[in-house]
Amino acid sequence: MSTKHFAGDSVEPPKVPGSYRFYSMRFCPYAQRVQLVLNAKGTPHDTVFIDLLDKPKWYLDIFPAGKVPALIYDGNFLSESLLLADFLDEQFPEPPLWNCSPLQKILDKLVIESFSKVGTAFYKLIFTSETVEEINFNELVASLIPIEAELAKRGSKFFGGKYNELLEYLGGDKPNMVDYMIWPWMERLDSIKPYTQGKFVIPFDDKFPKLASWKALMIVDKAVAPYYLTPEKHAQHFVNKKAGLPAYDF
């Protein structure tokens, strides 16, 4: 997979036979959601990264909204991360990522929706002024409290583990759709330390031990590990973006 981001004057690369074309941006958490599902499923795909600050004309011609993630399937242009994740899980049923009862599926989706507060608080900290950094950091830490409580309530290593009888039969809990849909933002939380040069650090070991253990397991998961970026890489992306410097292919 090439990590080059295609910009305004580029030419679309040829499609790879037998693979689905996936349009992404390497630092986009929403696109990462779909990438993780593709990885978990082992679905053949070729990823094309789009420069969102200088979108290729050819991309706007086929998708005027110019957003990522997007996927071409059977000649159709599909977008929106949660919709794509559900589609891929239904289209490629093995391994199932929604592997619970209809009721639990709704409850799990509510967890994903409530997690948006974490993402909002994170980007407030990253992209607002230094005068409100501490307020925004405290808001971010507070947003993690119900997520820690939810994992503790489930009594499993992963958010999808406890309610999955099939996985229990196969020998233990594993990540499911909830885990993959919230992971991209959790991966970025560790970038706060290098980004703020040590001024702020999420106290995972002290305040969020369940999430700390979960993070350690997720980093080595077979779907997550090939796409994982270090905190320093994420931090550099944010520094460059905030300063108006090249933030994709640096």
Side-chain angles (χ1 to χ4, degrees):
M1 178 193 304
S2 170
T3 58
K4 169 185 168 61
H5 287 75
F6 288 83
D9 59 354
S10 65
V11 176
E12 182 176 14
K15 293 182 175 62
V16 177
S19 293
Y20 300 104
R21 171 57 54 90
F22 176 51
Y23 299 100
S24 183
M25 190 276 274
R26 188 61 183 86
F27 296 94
C28 174
Y30 296 98
Q32 186 175 359
R33 280 175 162 177
V34 182
Q35 184 68 60
L36 295 180
V37 175
L38 288 166
N39 290 354
K41 298 286 183 179
T43 304
H45 63 281
D46 69 289
T47 301
V48 174
F49 292 113
I50 302 298
D51 184 332
L52 297 181
L53 297 178
D54 183 18
K55 298 170 185 175
K57 181 181 182 303
W58 58 261
Y59 190 57
L60 294 173
D61 286 343
I62 60 176
F63 188 37
K67 300 189 298 182
V68 297
L71 182 74
I72 293 180
Y73 184 90
D74 196 22
N76 295 290
F77 209 90
L78 312 176
S79 62
E80 301 298 335
S81 64
L82 295 178
L83 296 179
L84 286 172
D86 280 355
F87 168 77
L88 290 169
D89 194 51
E90 293 176 4
Q91 193 67 28
F92 304 101
E94 295 298 329
L97 297 181
W98 283 124
N99 40 31
C100 51
S101 68
L103 172 60
Q104 189 57 45
K105 184 175 181 179
I106 291 178
L107 295 175
D108 284 355
K109 288 194 171 189
L110 289 173
V111 171
I112 295 171
E113 182 177 337
S114 69
F115 191 83
S116 64
K117 295 178 182 177
V118 177
T120 299
F122 172 75
Y123 283 108
K124 279 178 66 176
L125 172 63
I126 294 297
F127 291 120
T128 52
S129 66
E130 293 182 7
T131 58
V132 291
E133 272 186 340
E134 187 167 356
I135 295 173
N136 291 337
F137 178 73
N138 291 337
E139 179 184 335
L140 174 57
V141 172
S143 73
L144 290 169
I145 294 174
I147 308 302
E148 171 79 5
E150 178 66 30
L151 185 55
K153 181 179 75 173
R154 293 185 175 217
S156 55
K157 296 175 182 177
F158 300 98
F159 285 89
K162 181 179 178 181
Y163 302 98
N164 185 353
E165 294 181 0
L166 173 61
L167 287 180
E168 187 173 327
Y169 171 76
L170 293 175
D173 61 66
K174 298 178 182 179
N176 82 342
M177 192 68 83
V178 182
D179 301 274
Y180 291 133
M181 293 302 99
I182 70 175
W183 171 256
W185 286 269
M186 295 297 293
E187 179 176 307
R188 285 154 177 77
L189 291 184
D190 287 336
S191 70
I192 292 171
K193 181 178 180 179
Y195 180 79
T196 64
Q197 298 181 353
K199 185 177 180 181
F200 297 108
V201 182
I202 301 290
F204 278 107
D205 291 336
D206 294 334
K207 294 196 67 170
F208 308 112
K210 295 291 185 183
L211 286 175
S213 298
W214 173 81
K215 283 171 71 263
L217 292 171
M218 287 294 290
I219 286 174
V220 298
D221 175 71
K222 68 176 184 178
V224 173
Y227 203 73
Y228 174 77
L229 287 179
T230 64
E232 291 74 21
K233 288 273 181 67
H234 283 298
Q236 192 62 55
H237 166 71
F238 295 132
V239 168
N240 287 15
K241 187 174 181 180
K242 195 170 184 179
L245 299 172
Y248 301 143
D249 299 323
F250 56 84

